[in-house]
Amino acid sequence: MRLTTKGRYAVTAMLDLALNGTDRPVSLADISGRQDISLSYLEQLFAKLRRNDLVTSVRGPGGGYRLSRAGDEIFVAQIIDAVNETLDATGCGGTADCQQGEVCLTHHLWCDLSDQIHNFLSGISLSDLVEKREVQSVSARQNARRHQSATLALTEI
Amino acid sequence: MRLTTKGRYAVTAMLDLALNGTDRPVSLADISGRQDISLSYLEQLFAKLRRNDLVTSVRGPGGGYRLSRAGDEIFVAQIIDAVNETLDATGCGGTADCQQGEVCLTHHLWCDLSDQIHNFLSGISLSDLVEKREVQSVSARQNARRHQSATLALTEI
DNA sequence: TTTATAGTTGACCAAAACAGTGGGTTATTG
DNA sequence: CAATAACCCACTGTTTTGGTCAACTATAAA
């Protein structure tokens, strides 16, 4: 279990999907614009999210990504695990021969710690996040700006 | 809050200190031997641990490191924070202007997440870990091997 | 007082991970 | 057919990780 900006990006993007993808698929370009994440980097992240069955894709115009299931069935831990792709949380790959053929001090300790953090993050779903007041207000502002620039684009024609 | 092998190393080393440093200071060479962590890398980690007042040092022969206070007053979160040295968990340094001068979706979310993980790890002390059965048995085996090689060294004279 | 011990500091290094770029291709819609 | 947007892949620059080496200082013991 690693916690870096990579996982943060992935969770943000998935939360964006949960917020804006209720009726239609959401393109990575949209997410890139709203969340200020590079499009190509998003592509890499979503390739992993798709391989881990967290999202489904729709190609062609009007296409994009959808959550593969309801937001209350997708948990933060799953998202982070998907993009980090490290099944190996112990450093010795579960074989427990980390140190000269024997188990190290850290082995049990970190397994335990890792398990508990994992359990903690497994208890937070996308729906839980969507329901938070702060998230809603930020999302509202992002969409307001989006409409504003859409209007701007129209008046420019 | 970052969780990597670096923090794992630090926690392991501190746990070694808690287990073996009850009567006398413990040298980094000892920890290096028992926990199979490079001596020079330990030096770097302990410089940070010392700057963060988690350990005190004793120079000269018979010297080494001690916990700066009782094991039940040192928590895993403090150790990890000390070696990672990132007060900045949000990516925007608390200024909350992560995205074009405004707060991003992740800001509140990740602050919250970070806080909760932090609280969780702040609840686990070195003493808690020392009391664990698995830790005790591994430590006992490590010390047995240590005595064995000490005996071996004696017979070699 | 010398000597061995052990912390302290700093420069340096290779490999990996992170974050991003660019250039294609394939499928789908209009 | 053209536009869209997913998909794929090779490549790049930066940071972090984990580690090495060398020189230096404080101190306890012989």
Side-chain angles (χ1 to χ4, degrees), chain A residues 73-106:
Chain A
E73 291 175 50
I74 296 179
F75 299 92
V76 174
Q78 296 173 322
I79 299 170
I80 293 174
D81 280 346
V83 295
N84 282 341
E85 278 179 345
T86 39
L87 310 171
D88 174 15
T90 54
C92 58
T95 56
D97 59 345
C98 352
Q99 195 185 351
Q100 296 113 17
E102 301 199 15
V103 69
C104 62
L105 247 196
T106 359

Side-chain angles (χ1 to χ4, degrees), chain B residues 2 4-6 9 38 40-41 44 59-61 84:
Chain B
R2 238 177 312 170
T4 60
T5 55
K6 192 174 191 174
Y9 279 164
S38 118
S40 305
Y41 198 47
Q44 287 177 40
R59 298 174 81 149
N84 282 341

Side-chain angles (χ1 to χ4, degrees), chain A residues 2 4-6 9 38 40-41 44 59 61:
Chain A
R2 237 178 313 170
T4 60
T5 55
K6 192 173 190 173
Y9 277 165
S38 118
S40 305
Y41 198 46
Q44 290 176 40
R59 298 175 79 147

Side-chain angles (χ1 to χ4, degrees), chain B residues 6 35 53 64 73 107 113:
Chain B
K6 192 174 191 174
Q35 307 307 334
D53 270 322
E73 291 175 48
H107 185 79
L113 226 57

Side-chain angles (χ1 to χ4, degrees), chain A residues 1 6 8-9 12 33 47 58 69 74 90 107 117 135 149:
Chain A
M1 190 77 193
K6 192 173 190 173
R8 189 156 69 227
Y9 277 165
T12 308
V58 182
R69 48 188 184 275
I74 296 179
T90 54
H107 185 79
I117 294 170
V135 171
S149 53

Side-chain angles (χ1 to χ4, degrees), chain A residues 149-157:
Chain A
S149 53
T151 312
L152 214 73
L154 278 177
T155 54
E156 274 171 356
I157 298 171

